[in-house]
Amino acid sequence: MTYIQGSHHVTLSVGHAQEDVDFHTQVLGMRFIKKTVLYDGSTPVYHLYYSNADGDPSSVVTTFPWAQHGISGKRGTNQAREVLLSVPEESLDFWYKRLTEHQVPVANAEVFGRRRLTFEHPCGIEYALVGNTGDPRLPYAGNGVPQEFGVHGIHGTAIHAHTPERTVEFAEQVFFAQGGIVEDGDRAAFQIGNDKFGNHVEVIGNRRDDQGTWSYGAGTYHHFAWNLGSLENQQQVKFEIEGAGYTDISELKDRTYFKSVYCRMPGGALFELAVTHAEGGWDCDESPEELGRHFMLPPQFEDKRSEIMAQLEPITVDN
C-alpha cells in the first residue's frame, strides 16, 4: 500500500542570513536546529533549519539565504507562495500584538471560515499564522514566546496557479488528496496524506501575475516536502507518479538528514518526497541538546570547511 504520511518541511530562498535567523527565532520564537550548506552546485550558501520543540518533521522550515550572492527570485503565479504555520487558536491576539511590537506589518484575515494573521518575511515571502485547536505538536518556548502560544509546526502551503484545476487534478488522481475539495472565493483547499495536522494545501487561481521563477533566488518559496515514511514507499509513490505521466521527477538525493526525490507539479509548485531514513534525522550528527550549535558539513565538503566558512557571512543565534 502506498501512502503519504503528511508534511516533512518547507524550504525557502530568503535574503540575508542574519535577518532570516532573527525573524524565525527572535520574532516567531522557533527553535534553531541546524546550520549546514546547500548540497547542490558549487556556490557556498547556508542551509538553515528551524522547528518546534521536538523537531517534528512536520514542523521544520528551512532556508537558503541568497542575498549575499546577489541572486534574487521573482514571486508570481505557477509556484508555491505562502508559508502557513499552525498556532493555538487562542494565541492569535498574542501574535498580532507581538508582530506589531516587532514592527512586522500584520493583518487579520478570514479564510475558510477561520481567522488567520498574514504578514511577510523580511525578504517578502508571504506568511500566515493559522489558529488550530487540538494540534498535538509541541511548540518551542523561547525569545519571549511562551510554549502555550508557540508555533506547533507547519499548517500547510498555498500555491498560486494560472490553471489551478490542473493542480487539483494532480492531487486527486495521484497525490493522495483527502477529505474532498472545499472552496472559498478563488481558493480551493484539500489535505494530503494521513496526518490530521500540517498537510493542508490551498490552491489560488492567479492569472494576474507573471510566471514566478523556479530557480534559487531571494524572496521566493523553493519547495514543500512531504513525509513518505519509508524508502520503499517513497520509491513506489515515485513509480506511480511517473506511471500517471508526470515524469518531471528527480532521482534519489541524499541530504544526510533525509533522502528525497523532487517532483514538479503541473501547476508549477515543486514538491519533495522525503524520508528520514535509519541513518538520518536531525540528531545524526549532533546530540538532541546541541542541535544547531555547530556548523555541519556533508563528508564531500569537509575538506573545504575553512574555505566555505570564509565565504559565508557570520551569523549569531540566540536560541
Side-chain angles (χ1 to χ4, degrees):
M1 178 182 177
T2 55
Y3 64 93
I4 292 175
Q5 183 170 318
S7 60
H8 193 278
H9 66 271
V10 55
T11 295
L12 314 169
S13 292
V14 299
H16 286 285
Q18 189 64 59
E19 71 177 10
D20 181 70
V21 170
D22 292 345
F23 175 74
H24 284 103
T25 62
Q26 303 301 307
V27 179
L28 295 183
M30 299 182 74
R31 183 184 181 189
F32 187 86
I33 62 167
K34 193 66 63 178
K35 178 170 66 172
T36 182
V37 293
L38 173 65
Y39 283 24
D40 299 325
S42 58
T43 303
V45 179
Y46 279 125
H47 196 177
L48 308 175
Y49 291 65
Y50 312 90
S51 77
N52 67 0
D54 295 332
D56 296 318
S58 62
S59 77
V60 177
V61 176
T62 88
T63 62
F64 301 126
W66 284 101
Q68 179 185 358
H69 300 285
I71 299 175
S72 297
K74 178 181 178 181
R75 291 183 297 280
T77 195
N78 293 341
Q79 62 179 194
R81 280 270 296 263
E82 302 172 30
V83 180
L84 310 180
L85 299 177
S86 173
V87 297
E89 189 171 33
E90 64 275 13
S91 74
L92 290 173
D93 287 340
F94 164 86
W95 280 109
Y96 191 96
K97 183 173 183 288
R98 180 176 175 84
L99 290 166
T100 301
E101 289 174 345
H102 281 80
Q103 300 182 325
V104 177
V106 57
N108 282 291
E110 184 174 310
V111 182
F112 300 109
R114 298 163 65 186
R115 182 186 175 196
R116 64 178 57 175
L117 302 179
T118 60
F119 55 101
E120 293 181 356
H121 186 284
C123 73
I125 295 175
E126 298 144 285
Y127 274 61
L129 296 180
V130 181
N132 280 298
T133 300
D135 190 333
R137 297 171 295 173
L138 186 65
Y140 182 66
N143 295 309
V145 179
Q147 193 165 67
E148 64 266 27
F149 288 162
V151 176
H152 288 295
I154 296 166
H155 175 78
T157 183
I159 298 164
H160 289 226
H162 187 270
T163 53
E165 59 272 16
R166 297 287 78 81
T167 298
V168 173
E169 180 182 81
F170 173 84
E172 289 186 309
Q173 292 183 359
V174 298
F175 213 70
F176 305 92
Q178 305 285 335
I181 309 297
V182 296
E183 296 184 9
D184 183 355
D186 61 357
R187 291 185 182 239
F190 46 86
Q191 288 182 263
I192 297 292
N194 300 327
D195 286 350
K196 184 177 180 181
F197 293 96
N199 57 352
H200 292 262
V201 176
E202 299 176 6
V203 184
I204 298 96
N206 182 348
R207 297 188 177 184
R208 304 177 306 277
D209 294 338
D210 292 336
Q211 165 77 48
T213 51
W214 289 353
S215 57
Y216 293 123
T220 56
Y221 194 129
H222 192 258
H223 66 261
F224 190 89
W226 298 96
N227 187 0
L228 275 293
S230 71
L231 292 171
E232 294 77 16
N233 182 59
Q234 178 194 62
Q235 185 67 14
Q236 187 58 41
V237 170
K238 179 178 185 289
F239 284 153
E240 292 190 10
I241 292 172
E242 290 174 324
Y246 298 99
T247 57
D248 189 1
I249 189 166
S250 77
E251 296 305 312
L252 185 67
K253 297 179 182 290
D254 189 343
R255 303 311 196 189
T256 301
Y257 312 107
F258 45 87
K259 293 183 178 180
S260 300
V261 296
Y262 297 82
C263 173
R264 182 74 65 181
M265 297 181 66
L270 184 63
F271 278 175
E272 178 179 348
L273 313 180
V275 174
T276 303
H277 55 97
E279 295 80 31
W282 317 127
D283 58 357
C284 71
D285 52 8
E286 295 180 284
S287 71
E289 296 75 25
E290 292 184 315
L291 290 180
R293 296 185 186 178
H294 308 286
F295 183 37
M296 310 308 302
L297 289 175
Q300 66 267 30
F301 292 161
E302 191 58 57
D303 63 341
K304 298 180 179 179
R305 173 177 286 269
S306 297
E307 178 184 341
I308 290 171
M309 292 182 68
Q311 296 180 71
L312 294 171
E313 54 189 75
I315 57 175
T316 300
V317 181
D318 183 11
N319 202 203

